[in-house]
Each structure stands twice: as structure tokens, then as C-alpha cells.
Amino acid sequence: SSTETISKQAEPFNEPVPIEKKVTTTSKQSDESTDESTTQSKRPLALRVALLVLRLLALLLCLYFFVCSLDLMSSAFRLLGGRQVGELLSNNVVFANPVACLMMGVLLTVLVQSSSTSTSLIITMVGAQILELRSSVYMIMGANIGTTVTNTIVSLGQIGDREELERAFAGATVHDMFNWLTVLVLLPLEMASGALTSLTGLIVNSNANSTINVDKPPDFLKAITSPFTGLVIRLDSKLLKDPELLRNSSTLIKVCCKTSNSTCLEKCQFMFMEVAGHWADAIIGGILLALSLAALIGCLVGLVRILRSLLESKVKTTIERVTRTENRCLLFAMDYISLVVGAGLTILVQSSSVLTSALTPLVGTGVITVEIMYPITLGSNIGTTTTGLLAALASGSDSSLQTALVHLFFNVFGVLIWLPVPLLKRVPIALAKKLGAATAAYRWFAIAYILLAFLLLPLMFFALSLLHTAAVYVAFGLLVAPMLVAGVVGLLQTHRPDWLPEFLRNWDFLPEPLRSLAPYDRLLSRIFGCCRRKRNKVDAMVEIEFGKNEEGTFRQS
């Protein structure tokens, strides 16, 4: 009887949510929805229409100032950089190293807490010729990884319940696993062949040579934004296009709006006009960059809040209808339906972090499973690229558009690799569930994972890139090679153990710190007495899955 109870406890992911919990949660949700509907129905029709119109106007204003902030950010980088800084960045060993650029993209997104902001920043830097296209490709890959830290932190909100924490952490880290695995495949491919750069270059060049005028959208956006941005700053376009004039000029700021025979007839009127020529371009650019970044983040926050207020209840009902269907045809195409739903909702909300963070608690409570969360997450990765495309159109640069297309195709190729083939689809889901089980057994592992994956590793590679390029490649190889070997050996241990020698059929030959988290748990328990873990069904699951040796420690980590 004890073995039966332990075996039942060994499958927390396959264990259905109790009927009482389902009934209570659904009844609470229905009660909340009915309360909201009744409160909204009590409002007069004129008031509801007025609130809707105000929200739509606020939405359009946020979108307008978002595009304006991108234009101002591009001008700020031109003032900050100039040709000297552009040459410095292009020759800098940090930006010339793909792995270092990847980790810088991770750090940038973690610090900004928004992949939309970081990708827009990278794209505008490319458009301002401050950052090379080649370096921006790897930074975009890192930005894709860094955006997953938000929903991983959100999963810690269910740390009080081990079962919910296990499911929530697995649902959050399935996004991490997809991005890391995609980088492991596409980063070496891009470094060796430049496949993404070549493909996007062909698309941009073909559009430039076609009969369709591709420059019309950027001109249209600039025509809309120039009345506002012209009140803040004005740059001399002739200096930007002519290197000789740029070298001989003391400032990039346009002072005279009307000239005749090299004499100024009318001075321009904008915010920085009084200090133009007195302050250095770098000082004005720094102030403008801070203002544009604040406006960009504020507009993104406003967009997210307005869209959530308009669509939050509809998003939840749409997800429940799609995921709870019993139609066999829909179940067969559930992955692709969820992919489209995730992409569409992310385009509406303009933030993949908002969507995945909203779904993470639902995975923890058992409303949706990790298998359903996975394709929705992939769709949100594709949907979030629309912000970068908008930034590229605002910059009006072919290199910016190419960088935005790299972001799009990076996610599309990742979906094509890790979704259609069932064998490959199971890899990120299985890895995420392993991380969830480890977090349920050792709750400190969640914080250690966040610090290691999103802070310590990127900082380490960035520091190594300052020493020498070869040090980065050596460290990257030493990190990735053991993981690949351990993955292959683990698969053979599970499916073809007879192909392996006897000492490789288990992990007992390794030292305990390399095959178990128990030594680190004992160390933390000595330092922090409150971190001592308690035995429960998760521990029983770990014991059955990995087994125990005579000393009572786990065979595998």
C-alpha cells in the first residue's frame, strides 16, 4: 500500500486537479465575472460609451508618443555617437564577439525589464549607425532570452505551495528553455554562415529593387511625428549624409531653417535651441536619451494598462474556450491554434511578458497545462516582434528593418524546429518540468536559477570579453559541451542502456556535488536554518525518478 501511494504521488503533472478545487475555482471565477458584468450593466450607456472612447483616445496617444520617442531616441544616439563612437563600437572587441553581444542583449533586457524596449533600442542604434548589423543580430537573440525573466519571477508568487510552484515554474521556464535551445542551434549557424543576415538582406534588397515604394511607411510615420519631434530637436540631414561636412562641422544640430548664400535668414525654434552650440552634442544627446527612454517606457506601460483594461477579461475567456475544447479536429490542431492565439494576443497587448506572466499563475493552479502554455508562449515570441518592426519603420533605415526581420525570423525558425516534430517538442517541455521538480524539492533553486541564468552568466561572459575573445569561446565551450554530453548520455540511459558501459548506466561515478543538489541544500541549511526542506510527495517523486544510494543522497541532479 505504501508503494502504491508513493507511485501515485510520483506524477504531480499527470495528477488531475481535485473536483472540489475545480468547482470552487470556477465558481469564484464565474461569481467575479458576474459581479463585473452586473457592475458594468448598472452603468449608463452614455457613460460606458464615453469611457470606451476615452480609452481608445488614450491608446492612440500612447501609440503616437511611442513612435515619437523612438524617433527622439534615434536623434539622441546620433548626437551621442557621431562617427567617432560608431567607429569605436565597430572596432571594440566586445561588440565584435558574438557570444559577448548575446550576453549583452540578455543583460540589457533584464535591466530594462522589457524586450520591446531593448529591441527598439537596438534597432534605433542600428538605424543611427551606432551599432553594426552583425552585432545587433546577436544582441537581438540575447534580448529574446532576457525577456523570460519576468514570468520566471512571477512564478515565485506561488512559492507557498510546492505543487503549484512546481507547475508554475515549469510553465515559466518552458519559455526559457525554448529560447536557450533556439540560441544553441541558430547562434553557431549564424556565426558560421550568416544565414539570418543573408536571408533578411535578400528580402530588404528585393523590396528596395521592386516597383513598390517601401520608403512610404517610414515617410508616413515621420510626417506624423515630425510636428512634435521638431519641437524638441532638429538635426541637419545634410551633415548625416556627407562625412566630409560632418568632420568640418562643430554640431549636428540644425540651427538655421532658412539660409541664403551661407547666411542664416531664420533660426529654428525647438527646445534645445538656446543651448545648441554652447553645450556639447554629447551632453544634449544624453539628456535627450534619458527623456526619450522615459517617454518610451511610459508609453509602453500606458499601452499595456489600457489594453489590459480593454481586453483582459476577453483574453481569459478566449484562452479557456480554446484550451478546453473537446473537438478532435481542434485538439489535433491545438498547438497551432494556441500559437496563433498567443501571437494575436501579444500583438494586441504589445508585450509578451504581460501575456506569459498572466498565464503563469494559471499553470500553477492547474487551469492550463505546460503543454498548452508552450505553443502560446511561442506565439507570443512571434507577436512581440511587431514592436521592433514598428521601430524599424520609424527609423527609416534598411539596416534597422533588416535587424527587425532577423528578430522575426529567429523566432519563426525556432518554432519550426521545436514545435512540429513531436520528439523535439518534448525536449523543452521535459527540461522545464525537470526544473519545476527541482524547484519543488529545493525552493532556493528558483532564486539561484534566476541569478545564474540572467545575471551571473551574462556578467561573466561580458567580463571575459574584456580580456580576450578566445576566453569567451573557451568558457562557452566548457559550459555547453558537458551539457550536451550529459543530455546524450541521459537519453541513452533511459532508452538504450545496453549501448553504454556499466559505469555510464548511472551517475554514481560522479562526485555528489555534480550529480545532486543535496550537498548545496545541506550547506544552505547550515547557513540558513529556515531553508531546511520538508519531506512531501515531491521528495517521494524525486526518490522514485532518480533513486537513492546507500548514503541516502540522490543519484542524479
Side-chain angles (χ1 to χ4, degrees), residues 264-477:
C264 182
L265 299 179
E266 181 182 352
K267 289 187 177 182
C268 301
Q269 299 296 325
F270 51 89
M271 188 172 70
F272 290 96
M273 177 60 197
E274 298 297 329
V275 296
H278 302 286
W279 292 4
D281 286 355
I283 297 176
I284 299 176
I287 297 173
L288 186 60
L289 179 62
L291 294 176
S292 59
L293 276 175
L296 181 68
I297 296 173
C299 291
L300 283 174
V301 172
L303 282 171
V304 169
R305 290 189 176 181
I306 294 171
L307 288 171
R308 285 184 67 180
S309 65
L310 290 172
L311 303 171
E312 187 173 12
S313 59
K314 296 181 180 179
V315 166
K316 291 182 179 180
T317 55
T318 302
I319 291 173
E320 289 180 359
R321 288 177 182 176
V322 171
T323 57
R324 293 296 181 182
T325 181
E326 296 181 357
N327 192 328
R328 292 185 178 181
C329 296
L330 289 178
L331 289 174
F332 178 77
M334 180 60 67
D335 288 343
Y336 304 100
I337 295 174
S338 302
L339 181 76
V340 174
V341 169
L345 295 179
T346 304
I347 292 173
L348 291 176
V349 179
Q350 281 293 306
S351 174
S352 61
S353 300
V354 170
L355 180 62
T356 54
S357 299
L359 292 179
T360 298
L362 298 181
V363 178
T365 55
V367 175
I368 61 177
T369 62
V370 182
E371 287 77 9
I372 295 176
M373 174 76 168
Y374 178 62
I376 297 177
T377 298
L378 304 192
S380 69
N381 262 15
I382 296 176
T384 193
T385 59
T386 56
T387 307
L389 291 171
L390 182 62
L393 294 177
S395 66
S397 171
D398 289 343
S399 56
S400 297
L401 180 59
Q402 191 172 352
T403 305
L405 290 175
V406 166
H407 190 198
L408 173 63
F409 281 105
F410 173 79
N411 289 295
V412 170
F413 288 153
V415 170
L416 294 177
I417 294 171
W418 301 108
L419 184 63
V421 182
L423 180 62
L424 296 178
K425 175 189 171 183
R426 288 194 289 266
V427 174
I429 296 176
L431 291 175
K433 287 185 176 182
K434 294 288 185 183
L435 291 176
T439 304
Y442 309 96
R443 284 190 261 198
W444 53 264
F445 178 77
I447 301 175
Y449 169 80
I450 293 174
L451 292 176
L452 183 64
F454 299 104
L455 186 62
L456 297 181
L457 275 179
L459 285 176
M460 182 191 73
F461 279 101
F462 180 75
L464 290 175
S465 65
L466 298 177
L467 297 176
H468 199 276
T469 305
V472 178
Y473 291 122
V474 171
F476 188 74

Side-chain angles (χ1 to χ4, degrees), residues 33 38 46 77 81 125 140 146 153 167 175 241 261 281 287 291 319 372 399 459 468 502 507 541:
S33 62
T38 52
F77 277 116
M125 287 177 69
I140 287 290
I153 294 174
R167 290 191 292 263
H175 197 182
K241 295 177 182 178
N261 297 326
D281 286 355
I287 297 173
L291 294 176
I319 291 173
I372 295 176
S399 56
L459 285 176
H468 199 276
E502 290 192 9
W507 299 104
M541 184 265 299

Side-chain angles (χ1 to χ4, degrees), residues 201-264:
L202 289 174
I203 294 174
V204 172
N205 293 331
S206 64
N207 288 334
N209 297 327
S210 64
T211 57
I212 301 175
N213 190 0
V214 189
D215 293 331
K216 285 184 179 179
D219 292 339
F220 175 72
L221 289 175
K222 286 183 179 179
I224 295 177
T225 57
S226 58
F228 176 77
T229 57
L231 297 175
V232 181
I233 194 71
R234 291 188 182 185
L235 301 184
D236 196 339
S237 58
K238 294 180 180 179
L239 296 177
L240 297 173
K241 295 177 182 178
D242 194 340
E244 294 296 331
L245 292 176
L246 180 60
R247 292 191 188 97
N248 298 327
S249 177
S250 59
T251 180
L252 282 171
I253 299 175
K254 187 176 183 178
V255 179
C256 293
C257 288
K258 289 183 180 181
T259 59
S260 177
N261 297 326
S262 300
T263 58
C264 182

Side-chain angles (χ1 to χ4, degrees), residues 18 52 81 83 108 158 185 203 218 234 236 276 374 414 424 453 497 501 510-511:
L52 179 61
R83 187 165 298 277
L108 178 63
Q158 293 169 290
V185 174
I203 294 174
R234 291 188 182 185
D236 196 339
Y374 178 62
L424 296 178
L510 290 175

